[in-house]
Amino acid sequence: MRKLLFVVLFAVPTPVLADWAEVPLEVLVDEADLIVVGKVTKVQDGGFFTLGPNKSDHIVKQDVAVVEISAILKASPAFGKPKVVHIGQKAMGKLTSADIRFVPGQQGIWLLSKDPGQNKVVVMKGDMLVPDPERNVYWAKHPSQFQKETEQQKLTALIEARAKIQGGKSVNGVVARAELLESPGRFQVRFSLKNVSDKPITVCDYVGNRPLQVNWIGSDGKLLMSKHYEWLKAARIAALGGKDFVVIQPGGVRFMGEIKFHLPTDKATNLDNVAQVGQHKVTVSFVNKENGKQFGLENVWTGTVSANEVTISVK
């Protein structure tokens, strides 16, 4: 899903370049909690910090770019219709080419997320750092989360099209969706979860639990085993942590991964799925048993939810 490279085009103190893995625009549109057209009127002290999940992580002071909104292209009903939005960005100081900053006068379209990612929002209260998850701030951490105003018509059409993507049956407010993508030499089933409830839903995406289960019926009608987690046998991954629980806002989408299938003529390894000539039926499910209570979390979604069936035709 992330193959090509992007260059940061935003203002940084020195003209250094950073490489960015490509994220498909439809993924950014789906995962955006708020998409707005507007102009940065000022950049000011945000009054908060971000802090990573590890003990060795340093706190990072945050500014906010204040964007005056001229049009809202996508928004959850829970967010209302704001006239101004604050976008978090690292305060001036030791910036790198990987730090995206917006500047006064900048105009365009922002595809914003409410989730700060692994670097959670904290504030100082006395001599202590305390979480501040309710702060009204949004994030654009990839260059493609900012688009030129000339892209408005294209984005509007894409937002409308993505809203019509079908999935499986809802389970406790979550719908699983599978999309078939074709590229030279292979097929990919892209899997995502959508929150169809009116409240935020927390899910666990820890890969060590192998949350994506695949029911694969081969071209001969027999059940086949998917090898999408075979790489874990030789991998050393971190233990389950609070960072592995993510929040999906009402109406929001979270992409959970891709199941890849190589053609029999492709150079595959023992870690790859190979789909023989004929029709294959694939149903991907998301399974979670982690309730997050050991990390002080509540109302974490648990259970099994299955996506719509996908048919792969290999010629």
Side-chain angles (χ1 to χ4, degrees), residues 167-192:
K169 293 182 179 179
S170 172
V171 177
N172 296 328
V174 172
V175 165
R177 310 185 312 171
E179 301 173 74
L180 181 62
L181 308 176
E182 295 187 38
S183 57
R186 66 182 177 183
F187 295 86
Q188 298 175 97
V189 178
R190 188 163 63 195
F191 182 87
S192 61

Side-chain angles (χ1 to χ4, degrees), residues 36-280:
V36 299
V37 183
K39 177 180 179 180
V40 179
T41 58
K42 59 182 176 180
V43 174
Q44 64 187 35
D45 184 347
F48 65 95
F49 305 85
T50 53
L51 180 63
N54 302 313
K55 292 182 179 180
S56 58
D57 290 329
H58 298 290
I59 62 172
V60 178
K61 191 176 186 304
Q62 295 288 322
D63 286 342
V64 291
V66 180
V67 175
E68 186 176 279
I69 298 171
S70 58
I72 298 176
L73 305 186
K74 176 187 174 184
S76 165
F79 300 151
K81 296 181 178 180
K83 294 182 179 180
V84 172
V85 65
H86 288 184
I87 304 175
Q89 56 188 40
K90 186 177 178 181
M92 294 293 290
K94 293 183 178 180
L95 296 178
T96 71
S97 57
D99 295 314
I100 297 174
R101 284 184 59 87
F102 303 105
V103 297
Q106 191 168 355
Q107 299 183 69
I109 305 171
W110 282 267
L111 291 72
L112 301 170
S113 172
K114 202 76 170 66
D115 184 359
Q118 294 188 6
N119 299 305
K120 302 302 181 184
V121 174
V122 295
V123 293
M124 291 293 298
K125 286 195 174 180
D127 296 328
M128 295 183 62
L129 281 174
V130 296
D132 188 17
E134 302 302 321
R135 182 170 289 269
N136 191 22
V137 62
Y138 290 82
W139 304 90
K141 296 187 175 183
H142 189 283
S144 292
Q145 285 180 261
F146 175 80
Q147 298 282 321
K148 296 179 180 178
E149 286 180 297
T150 53
E151 298 297 303
Q152 182 171 341
Q153 185 175 355
K154 173 184 173 181
L155 280 169
T156 299
L158 182 57
I159 292 167
E160 292 176 355
R162 297 302 298 173
K164 298 175 182 177
I165 297 293
Q166 298 297 310
K169 293 182 179 179
S170 172
V171 177
N172 296 328
V174 172
V175 165
R177 310 185 312 171
E179 301 173 74
L180 181 62
L181 308 176
E182 295 187 38
S183 57
R186 66 182 177 183
F187 295 86
Q188 298 175 97
V189 178
R190 188 163 63 195
F191 182 87
S192 61
L193 299 176
K194 183 173 183 177
N195 178 356
V196 295
S197 76
D198 58 359
K199 296 180 180 179
I201 289 178
T202 300
V203 298
C204 178
D205 63 358
Y206 180 58
V207 70
N209 286 346
R210 306 187 180 209
L212 299 187
Q213 296 186 355
V214 178
N215 184 53
W216 174 15
I217 305 299
S219 57
D220 58 0
K222 295 181 180 179
L223 181 65
L224 300 176
M225 184 191 74
S226 174
K227 298 180 179 180
H228 60 289
Y229 285 135
E230 284 293 294
W231 64 273
L232 282 171
K233 293 180 179 179
R236 296 181 63 184
I237 62 175
L240 175 71
K243 61 181 175 54
D244 298 305
F245 293 81
V246 296
V247 177
I248 309 176
Q249 297 293 335
V253 173
R254 179 81 179 192
F255 284 84
M256 308 299 288
E258 295 174 346
I259 312 298
K260 299 176 182 178
F261 298 85
H262 291 257
L263 300 180
T265 54
D266 192 33
K267 292 182 179 179
T269 72
N270 291 332
L271 303 180
D272 298 322
N273 291 328
V274 177
Q276 300 300 325
V277 173
Q279 282 200 341
H280 300 253

